């Protein structure tokens, strides 16, 4: 397939792909990823561990079903999970293990076709690309003088994708009717929530392996149109900003984007979409960061969510040794630092101080010291920064200093 992509496909469309979807090597490759990610059982209650016990047999069965056109996705199991930084809940669909494998195999076949065409400014859910790549592009554009920003929000994007129009986009590259029918079956996959079952008429399946690729395919024409119009857009899935050199250019970019969204039956959120001058107080948020006046730091929701996670691990009545608590904190701190290491330097000592205060509260409780203002004031003397460093606590300020050292 990759060789054919280099040469160009006869007629510009792919006519025979289903055999590549159901190839045993492809199904096994997809199964390895599902096994690595684990995840919950679907509506059939078959866990990853249960599938693993009969993997060879079940993969052969999947291959036969796909080859003979008998494969039918099971309903997705609806679960509700907390939305980070808010009190709201968001829906998540859990496909059966077998369906996750087939979706992965389908993605393995379709993804290379679009990877050769996707725009450079699209970063979300693409191999070899990341949030940091998108963030660094934003930093470069701001530094070059593109400080008027269209901060855009697509309202309920994944739920409002027009399914028939999405299939038309796929048909521009794929002419294999059996692959298109398989894709339609996943789009029409029913959802089970408690005793209710229904079939969504819009959107892509929430939590489906194939959904991020389909979401990128649906916005690909928007990417091309914005690029051809000369606008500097940075997009990560449905999160996007357009960086401009003047307010008038930003207004023009927003009008052009809004028209493109209407063409695709999408809506920009009227309250969350705005024009921002990044050189003055206020700024804008993008991918968990806040950008303002040449600086960047974690946005308020990101900081609040992380502090809540720290609080959950450092309750005064935790009932474990300080070393044990630190061992649970360090992976969280390391992961948070890896993502937010692009932040302004003063973020890290502030967060370090918060973590140490939480740990001192545990130590005060365990030592049965009275909870008075005076005793709390002496905590940093009794248990200074070096005390926690000696016990292995990751210091974010030290990690940032090491990152800034010349190689």
């Amino acid at each position: 397939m990759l060789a054919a992509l280099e040469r160009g496909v006869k007629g510009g469309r792919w006519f025979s792909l289903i055999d590549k979807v159901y190839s045993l090597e492809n199904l096994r490759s997809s199964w390895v990823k599902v096994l690595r990610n684990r995840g919950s059982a679907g509506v059939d209650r078959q866990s990853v561990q249960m599938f693993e016990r009969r993997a060879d047999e079940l993969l052969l069965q999947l291959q036969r079903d796909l080859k003979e056109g008998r494969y039918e996705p099971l309903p997705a199991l609806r679960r509700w999970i907390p939305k980070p930084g808010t009190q709201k809940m968001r829906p998540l669909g859990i496909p059966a293990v077998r369906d996750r494998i087939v979706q992965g195999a389908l993605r393995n076949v379709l993804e290379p076709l679009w990877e050769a065409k996707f725009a450079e400014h699209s970063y979300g859910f693409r191999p070899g690309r990341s949030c940091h790549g998108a963030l660094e592009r934003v930093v470069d554009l701001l530094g070059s003088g593109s400080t008027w920003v269209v901060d855009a929000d697509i309202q309920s994007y994944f739920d409002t994708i027009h399914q028939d129009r999405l299939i038309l986009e796929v048909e521009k590259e794929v002419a294999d009717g059996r692959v298109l029918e398989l894709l339609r079956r996943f789009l029409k996959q029913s959802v089970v929530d408690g005793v209710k079952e229904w079939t969504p008429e819009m959107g892509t399946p929430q939590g489906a392996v194939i959904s991020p690729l389909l979401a990128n395919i649906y916005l690909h024409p928007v990417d091309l149109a914005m690029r051809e119009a000369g606008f500097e857009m940075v997009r990560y899935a449905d999160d996007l900003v357009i960086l401009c050199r003047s307010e008038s250019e930003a207004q023009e970019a927003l009008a052009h984007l809004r028209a493109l969204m209407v063409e695709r039956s999408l809506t920009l959120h009227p309250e969350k979409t705005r024009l921002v001058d990044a050189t003055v107080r206020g700024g804008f948020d993008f991918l968990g960061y806040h950008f303002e006046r040449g600086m960047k730091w974690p946005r308020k929701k990101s900081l609040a969510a992380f502090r809540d996670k720290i609080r959950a691990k450092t309750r005064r009545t935790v009932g474990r040794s300080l070393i044990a608590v630190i061992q649970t904190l360090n992976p969280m701190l390391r992961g948070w630092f890896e993502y937010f290491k692009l932040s302004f330097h003063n973020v890290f000592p502030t967060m370090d101080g918060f973590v140490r205060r939480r740990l001192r509260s545990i130590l005060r409780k365990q030592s049965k010291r009275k909870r008075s203002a005076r005793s709390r004031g002496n905590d940093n003397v009794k248990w200074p920064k070096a005390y926690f460093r000696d016990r292995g606590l990751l210091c974010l300020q030290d990690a940032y200093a090491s990152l800034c050292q010349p190689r």
Side-chain angles (χ1 to χ4, degrees), residues 290-307:
H290 180 77
F291 293 82
E292 181 181 320
R293 294 170 292 168
M295 298 177 287
K296 54 193 175 300
W297 56 83
R299 67 174 186 162
K300 288 182 180 179
K301 284 185 178 180
S302 300
L303 283 173
F306 189 61
R307 285 194 174 106

Side-chain angles (χ1 to χ4, degrees), residues 330-380:
N330 277 346
M332 290 172 51
L333 293 169
R334 193 170 292 109
W336 187 86
F337 176 77
E338 280 303 311
Y339 189 79
F340 288 107
K341 62 187 177 184
L342 304 177
S343 298
F344 190 57
H345 65 84
N346 69 351
V347 168
F348 306 108
T350 301
M351 188 57 72
D352 281 332
F354 173 77
V355 173
R356 287 194 295 269
R357 285 194 298 275
R358 297 292 303 176
L359 294 177
R360 288 180 185 123
S361 180
I362 294 173
L363 291 171
R364 189 187 317 115
K365 177 73 174 178
Q366 292 177 347
S367 64
K368 299 182 179 179
R369 296 180 71 194
K370 292 183 178 179
R371 185 179 171 82
S372 65
R374 184 175 179 180
S375 66
R376 288 197 302 272
N378 292 329
D379 283 352
N380 62 336

Side-chain angles (χ1 to χ4, degrees), residues 119-126 128-143 149 216 232-243 284-289 291 296 339 342:
E120 184 68 21
H121 63 249
S122 169
Y123 291 86
F125 307 111
R126 293 181 58 190
R129 291 176 159 250
S130 66
C131 289
H132 275 174
L135 291 164
E136 287 165 2
R137 179 59 179 159
V138 170
V139 170
D140 289 344
L141 289 168
L142 289 171
V149 181
N216 276 333
E232 291 284 4
M233 185 164 80
V234 181
R235 183 174 69 81
Y236 192 97
D238 60 334
D239 202 351
L240 66 94
V241 288
I242 309 168
L243 294 101
F284 66 98
D285 295 339
F286 184 59
L287 298 181
Y289 276 81
F291 293 82
K296 54 193 175 300
Y339 189 79
L342 304 177

Side-chain angles (χ1 to χ4, degrees), residues 6-114:
E6 293 285 335
R7 297 191 303 267
V9 183
K10 186 177 180 180
R13 297 170 74 202
W14 292 80
F15 286 85
S16 180
L17 289 176
I18 191 65
D19 59 316
K20 298 165 183 63
V21 174
Y22 65 63
S23 95
L24 201 55
E25 185 180 3
N26 186 23
L27 290 170
R28 281 202 181 107
S29 172
S30 180
W31 157 239
V32 167
K33 291 179 183 176
V34 172
L35 179 61
R36 188 185 307 131
N37 293 333
R38 295 291 173 176
S40 304
V43 71
D44 61 352
R45 298 185 181 180
Q46 184 180 50
S47 66
V48 173
Q49 293 84 354
M50 291 166 65
F51 192 99
E52 187 178 14
R53 295 187 198 112
R54 301 170 53 209
D56 290 340
E57 173 192 348
L58 293 173
L59 289 174
L60 284 170
Q61 182 63 54
L62 278 179
Q63 185 188 42
R64 284 193 295 271
D65 290 346
L66 288 164
K67 191 173 184 178
E68 297 167 9
R70 292 187 287 106
Y71 173 81
E72 284 286 348
L74 294 170
L77 186 63
R78 172 64 57 89
R79 289 287 182 262
W80 295 86
I81 61 174
K83 195 172 182 180
T86 71
Q87 300 298 316
K88 298 178 181 178
M89 304 291 283
R90 67 180 181 90
L92 180 68
I94 303 175
V97 173
R98 64 191 284 275
D99 293 337
R100 300 206 289 267
I101 294 168
V102 175
Q103 285 184 23
L106 181 59
R107 182 192 60 192
N108 290 345
V109 171
L110 295 180
E111 190 172 62
L113 312 186
W114 271 272

Side-chain angles (χ1 to χ4, degrees), residues 164-191:
D164 291 339
R165 188 166 291 170
L166 172 60
I167 292 294
L168 288 175
E169 287 298 327
V170 177
E171 285 179 344
K172 291 178 182 179
E173 302 292 330
V174 177
D176 187 325
R178 293 177 67 184
V179 168
L180 294 170
E181 178 57 29
L182 181 59
L183 186 54
R184 286 191 187 94
R185 290 180 183 181
F186 279 123
L187 289 174
K188 298 299 182 184
Q189 187 177 21
S190 62
V191 177

